[in-house]
Amino acid sequence: MTAPAVEVRDLHVRLDGVPILAGIDLAVAAGEWVTVIGPNGAGKSTLLRAVGGLLPAPHAVSLFGTPYESLRRRDRARVVATVAQSPVVPAGMSVLDYVLLGRTPYIPPLGRESAADLAAVHDVLDRLDLAGFHRRELATLSGGERQRVFLARALAQGATLLLLDEPTSALDIGHQQEVLELVDQLRRTHGLTVLATMHDLSIAGEYADRMVLLAEGRVVAAGPPRDVLTEELLATHYRAHVRIIPGDHGPLVVPIRPTDQGVRA
Ligand code: ADP
Ligand code: MG
């Protein structure tokens, strides 16, 4: 049996002395798409940061069968690429130079990018509908354009595991679909594994093989979207009043205004 792409065992994270994650277990099979959902502050970003090595998580995270701390530094970037929830935007940097940063693990020390690196970057820019943007300064882009550039950098990195923290929250619905379809297509053609967080529950359920519901730093439900996107679970953990409608690719979650409180004379 092949090792899972991600294996998290009994992960505990404290930040400034406050327990944020308390005993998380999670496995993502190679080629699988798993989406973590949960209310604001549940610990979703913290979990992705721990899996991506951006927070120390000694002995808790293995990627493709190797404990994170045993991966060689140079190999880490080829294994896992992260799109953070709010990446830092370097001042004065062009879109091309920013996306080229994704090729850093392939460029020898003191070397320059090769024609193959540039071709990889232009290919990703084309696929993300950013072909005309390569000379633009990152700071001048709209939020949605910038979000696609962040994803472009991660894809240019060519890692097998993508960690996407709310990759579509700044995008209009057309670009949301375009970006998620592209990620799914790369998953099928290149065997990528995806661990994401998403706020739009219907869209999350349409793309995920499995979902994990996090609340107050613990996994409270996990399984295929139809088992996690239920009126009961969303009422309990989001205090949300929703109706679930069966969809072609997963349950659709529709917020419904509560009738008992919402009616005014
Ligand atoms: P989510 O992504 O699910 O909204 P986060 O993982 O960003 O949640 O945050 C989980 C909790 O950890 C929140 O309550 C947040 O305020 C807290 N937190 C995040 N960073 C720190 C920090 N550096 N120190 C203390 N608490 C933090
Ligand atoms: Mg978050």
Side-chain angles (χ1 to χ4, degrees), residues 56-62 66-72 76:
H59 314 300
V61 176
S62 291
T66 305
Y68 185 84
E69 40 278 295
S70 305
L71 286 168
R72 288 187 309 171
R76 289 176 183 170

Side-chain angles (χ1 to χ4, degrees), residues 22-99:
I24 302 281
D25 292 304
L26 170 73
V28 184
E32 198 178 21
W33 183 323
V34 171
T35 297
V36 180
I37 60 167
N40 294 330
K44 305 180 294 297
S45 294
T46 306
L47 173 59
L48 256 60
R49 287 164 57 78
V51 172
L54 303 173
L55 271 181
H59 314 300
V61 176
S62 291
L63 302 182
F64 301 97
T66 305
Y68 185 84
E69 40 278 295
S70 305
L71 286 168
R72 288 187 309 171
R73 200 166 280 275
R74 207 172 165 75
D75 290 337
R76 289 176 183 170
R78 300 175 192 229
V79 170
V80 56
T82 300
V83 181
Q85 189 169 351
S86 321
V88 176
V89 180
M93 192 176 260
S94 74
V95 167
L96 182 68
D97 286 341
Y98 182 80
V99 178

Side-chain angles (χ1 to χ4, degrees), residues 15-16 18 20 38-47 85 165-166 199:
L15 296 173
D16 289 344
V18 181
I20 308 294
N40 294 330
K44 305 180 294 297
S45 294
T46 306
L47 173 59
Q85 189 169 351
D165 196 355
E166 296 188 32
H199 264 302

Side-chain angles (χ1 to χ4, degrees), residues 168-212:
T168 54
S169 39
L171 303 180
D172 62 63
I173 54 170
H175 281 115
Q176 281 187 8
Q177 281 183 333
E178 189 179 303
V179 159
L180 295 174
E181 287 295 328
L182 171 64
V183 171
D184 197 49
Q185 188 197 331
L186 289 168
R187 183 168 77 104
R188 290 164 198 282
T189 55
H190 292 57
L192 293 189
T193 305
V194 180
L195 178 60
T197 74
M198 262 179 236
H199 264 302
D200 187 308
L201 300 177
S202 299
I203 293 180
E206 284 192 294
Y207 288 90
D209 297 315
R210 277 190 309 123
M211 301 180 88
V212 171

